[in-house]
Amino acid sequence: MRKRANPIIVCRCEDVTLDEVEKILEKGYRDLESIKRLLRVGMGPCQGRTCIPLLIRLLARRLKKDPEELLIPPSRPPLTPIPIRLFVEDEKRAED
Amino acid sequence: MLKTDVVIIGGGISGISTAFWLIKRGIKNVVVVEKAYIGSGSTFKCATGIRASFTSEEHVVLMRESINLWKALSQELGFSYMRGGYVWLLSNEDQLKAFRELSRIHNSFGVPTRIISVEDVEKLVSKIDTRSILCALYDPLAGKADPFEALYSMAGFLRSAGVRILQQVEATRILQNGPQVVGVETTKGIIQGPIVVVAAGYETRGLVKTVDVDLPLKNVPHHAVITEAYKRAFDPLLVDAASGSYLVQTFHGGFIMGTEIEEREEAQPTPRVDFLYKVASVWIKYLPWLRNVNFLRYWVGYYVMSPDNHPIIGPLPEIDGLYVAAGFSGHGFMMGPIVGKILAEWIIDGKPSIPQAARLSYKRIEEGKLIHEKAVIG
C-alpha cells in the first residue's frame, strides 16, 4: 500500500487518515458502519458531520455502490455534545 | 448454491464465537450469515461489562468460565480486556442483607465477591461522593472488554481460517427434510448444510418459527448514553443497586451510562429525554464532576428476554441439526466466549462439558423447569 507523504485527514475529531480507510477496504470491509467502528470515524464530538459525507462519496465512487448499500450510520441524539448538568432539574433552574 | 458443514445465522458475539470454537475443534467448513454488518445487533450496542455476580448457579458458573475465556482470548487475539471489577453501591440495610447473601452464593461457586467499606470504595473510585451509601459489594473478577476490537479480531481469525462471513445477506427460512435440517434460505440463495445454528437475537424467534418451534422471547428496549472521551478516571464498573443504574469508562475514555426506565416490550427503540434526566441525576449524585462532562451519543438497544432471564442455548428437540443461542436477557456479550464453546460441544460431543450449561437448553422451557435470575440491571 502506498503511503502519502502528507496524510489526508478524513475525520478531524478522531484523526483518521485516508490511508487508514484504504487499509480497511483492503481487509474486505465494504460498509460505513464497520469502517466507523474499526477506525472511530464519526464517533467524535462532531458526530460524523464532515467525515461521513466524505466517505459516502469516496466509497460510492470507488466501490460502484449506491449510498444505501454502504450502510450509512444513523444520526444519534443529542447531535451536538451537551453538558450533563442541563439534565439535572435543580441545576437547570439555577442556570435559567 | 453454497454447501458447508455448519451454517451460523447471526454475526454477533454468539455466532462469531461459535464459529471460532468450531474451527478450534477442527470443523473446517463454516459459513456465517449476517443480515447487516457484524456486531450490528446487540453486540455493538452493549455496555461492555463482564461479570459473574449473578443470582443463579447456572449464570455464576458459566460467567465465571466465560471470564476465564475472555482473558485467554484477549491475550491470543490482542483486544482490550480488563478485570477492573464491579462495585455495587448499596444504600441501606436491606440491600446489604440481600447482597451479603448473594456474596455467599458467589463464593460457593468460586466467585470471590465481598462486602467492602465506604473507605474501600473511595480507594477504588477516585473522587466519588459516598455520602448516600452504606457500603458496597465488590466483584474483583468482573471487568470490561472493547466489543469492537473483540468481535473484529475474532472475525479476522475466522477469515484467515477460511470461514466465509456473508454480510448484508439475510436468512429468511430454515430448510428441513423430515426431522433433519438441510440448510438455510437467504436473500442471496440457498446455503446447504446438515447443521444450522441460529444466534440472531430476537429474530431467532421468527427464524425457528419457519420449522414450527415457538421460542418464548420478548424484545425490550434499553437505553444507553456515552460521554466525550476523558483520560482514565477509574477502572471498576459502578452499579447503583437502588435504581438499577450502571456507569463504566470505556477503553477509549467515554463514560457509558444506563438506568432502568419503564419500557413496553416490542416498543420502537425511541430516544427519551426522561432517560437522560434519570441517568444524569443518579450519577451526578456519586460523581459531581460529571456536571461539566458532555453527553455525546445516545442509543437504544434491546434486551432479548426469556421467561426466566437465562438464555436458551443448545439443540431444539425433534429437529436434528438445529441449534439456538438466544434470549440472553441483557448478558449476551459477556457470555459470548463460553456460549460458542458450549455450542461447539453440543454439535461435536452431543453435550456440553459443563453440567450447568446443559440445563439451559430449550428442554427446560418445554418441561416448564425455569431457572430464575434476579440480577438484571440497566
Side-chain angles (χ1 to χ4, degrees):
Chain A
M1 195 191 76
R2 79 202 152 93
K3 200 164 164 36
R4 288 174 182 83
N6 299 306
I8 297 174
I9 305 289
V10 174
C11 168
R12 290 181 291 193
C13 300
E14 297 283 342
D15 234 355
V16 181
T17 66
L18 184 56
D19 284 340
E20 289 175 289
V21 173
E22 287 178 338
K23 208 165 147 192
I24 293 298
L25 293 177
E26 280 167 24
K27 281 190 179 171
Y29 287 97
R30 289 286 177 271
D31 67 276
L32 286 169
E33 291 275 21
S34 299
I35 294 171
K36 166 183 161 180
R37 290 170 177 85
L38 283 155
L39 296 177
R40 303 198 63 84
V41 281
M43 293 178 82
C46 98
Q47 290 286 298
R49 268 188 196 80
T50 312
C51 56
I52 297 296
L54 269 175
L55 285 176
I56 291 170
R57 243 184 341 199
L58 177 86
L59 266 65
R61 203 182 307 150
R62 192 166 300 186
L63 305 172
K64 299 188 172 47
K65 285 188 174 202
D66 288 335
E68 304 83 69
E69 290 177 274
L70 300 172
L71 304 180
I72 301 166
S75 305
R76 300 213 190 268
L79 302 181
T80 190
I82 325 180
I84 296 179
R85 63 174 176 278
L86 299 181
F87 292 91
V88 181
E89 294 286 1
D90 46 344
E91 303 217 2
K92 190 170 167 286
R93 267 196 298 276
E95 291 218 355
D96 290 344
Chain B
M1 188 183 324
L2 194 56
K3 274 191 188 179
T4 186
D5 293 333
V6 183
V7 188
I8 296 171
I9 305 174
I13 188 85
S14 304
I16 293 289
S17 163
T18 302
F20 181 89
W21 287 106
L22 287 170
I23 294 291
K24 288 267 176 185
R25 294 282 311 269
I27 305 264
K28 291 208 171 57
N29 298 309
V30 180
V31 175
V32 179
V33 185
E34 164 55 51
K35 73 166 184 175
Y37 54 97
I38 59 167
S40 57
S42 293
T43 302
F44 286 170
K45 295 190 183 75
C46 81
T48 80
I50 295 165
R51 63 170 162 130
S53 30
F54 281 86
T55 66
S56 75
E57 177 186 342
E58 288 75 10
H59 261 154
V60 176
V61 169
L62 294 177
M63 293 299 185
R64 187 193 68 203
E65 293 307 307
S66 202
I67 285 170
N68 289 336
L69 295 177
W70 272 113
K71 186 172 186 189
L73 283 175
S74 67
Q75 285 166 351
E76 180 182 340
L77 300 170
F79 61 79
S80 303
Y81 164 72
M82 176 191 225
R83 290 190 183 163
Y86 268 42
V87 174
W88 300 70
L89 303 163
L90 309 177
S91 45
N92 61 47
E93 289 289 344
D94 287 346
Q95 285 172 5
L96 173 59
K97 204 173 147 215
F99 277 81
R100 206 170 274 205
E101 173 59 19
L102 274 180
S103 179
R104 202 188 51 75
I105 296 170
H106 301 152
N107 296 169
S108 71
F109 296 117
V111 175
T113 62
R114 60 179 195 272
I115 301 294
I116 59 171
S117 68
V118 168
E119 291 73 32
D120 292 333
V121 172
E122 287 167 351
K123 270 180 220 143
L124 286 163
V125 186
S126 57
K127 299 197 172 100
I128 187 169
D129 182 335
T130 52
R131 279 176 297 179
S132 63
I133 65 164
L134 194 61
C135 56
L137 178 87
Y138 181 45
D139 177 359
L141 200 59
K144 57 195 174 188
D146 182 312
F148 309 144
E149 287 180 20
L151 197 72
Y152 288 130
S153 62
M154 286 170 95
F157 171 92
L158 293 180
R159 286 199 187 93
S160 19
V163 173
R164 296 188 61 180
I165 302 176
L166 307 174
Q167 302 189 78
Q168 299 186 55
V169 176
E170 185 170 359
T172 47
R173 197 154 62 96
I174 293 159
L175 304 170
Q176 64 181 128
N177 185 0
Q180 172 65 47
V181 156
V182 292
V184 175
E185 178 194 84
T186 78
T187 47
K188 297 267 170 72
I190 285 169
I191 305 170
Q192 282 189 337
I195 292 165
V196 173
V197 176
V198 192
Y202 183 66
E203 272 130 279
T204 304
R205 188 174 185 201
L207 282 160
V208 302
K209 259 188 193 155
T210 65
V211 288
D212 298 321
V213 178
D214 192 7
L215 292 182
L217 302 178
K218 288 176 184 172
N219 222 12
V220 182
H222 280 257
H223 303 244
V225 65
I226 191 166
T227 69
E228 287 179 345
Y230 289 83
K231 76 172 187 187
R232 197 158 117 192
F234 50 81
D235 296 331
L237 181 148
L238 309 181
V239 181
D240 175 46
S243 64
S245 313
Y246 63 83
L247 178 143
V248 61
Q249 188 173 22
T250 64
F251 290 93
H252 184 254
F255 294 90
I256 299 180
M257 295 171 230
T259 188
E260 280 166 19
I261 53 171
E262 207 178 312
E263 270 286 8
R264 284 171 301 113
E265 60 185 78
E266 321 303 334
Q268 285 299 308
T270 312
R272 284 170 40 177
V273 76
D274 59 332
F275 163 74
L276 293 175
Y277 277 97
K278 183 172 174 196
V279 85
S281 67
V282 169
W283 291 113
I284 277 188
K285 185 179 69 179
Y286 291 116
L287 306 167
W289 48 267
L290 274 177
R291 277 183 177 79
N292 300 314
V293 170
N294 288 332
F295 277 141
L296 176 61
R297 187 165 49 246
Y298 171 1
W299 68 95
V300 188
Y302 287 102
Y303 283 12
V304 184
M305 306 302 293
S306 76
D308 60 7
N309 298 347
H310 286 82
I312 303 168
I313 308 169
L316 289 184
E318 289 149 31
I319 303 165
D320 289 339
L322 182 59
Y323 300 81
V324 295
F328 288 90
S329 310
H331 313 121
F333 178 65
M334 59 179 85
M335 209 176 191
I338 193 69
V339 169
K341 192 158 182 261
I342 292 167
L343 277 173
E345 288 173 348
W346 272 115
I347 291 166
I348 296 164
D349 311 324
K351 68 176 173 59
S353 58
I354 307 170
Q356 287 85 355
R359 297 184 208 149
L360 296 184
S361 76
Y362 182 65
K363 217 170 128 198
R364 81 172 190 278
I365 309 275
E366 280 192 311
E367 293 173 354
K369 290 179 183 161
L370 301 184
I371 311 157
H372 289 284
E373 171 60 54
K374 292 190 285 277
V376 179
I377 50 173

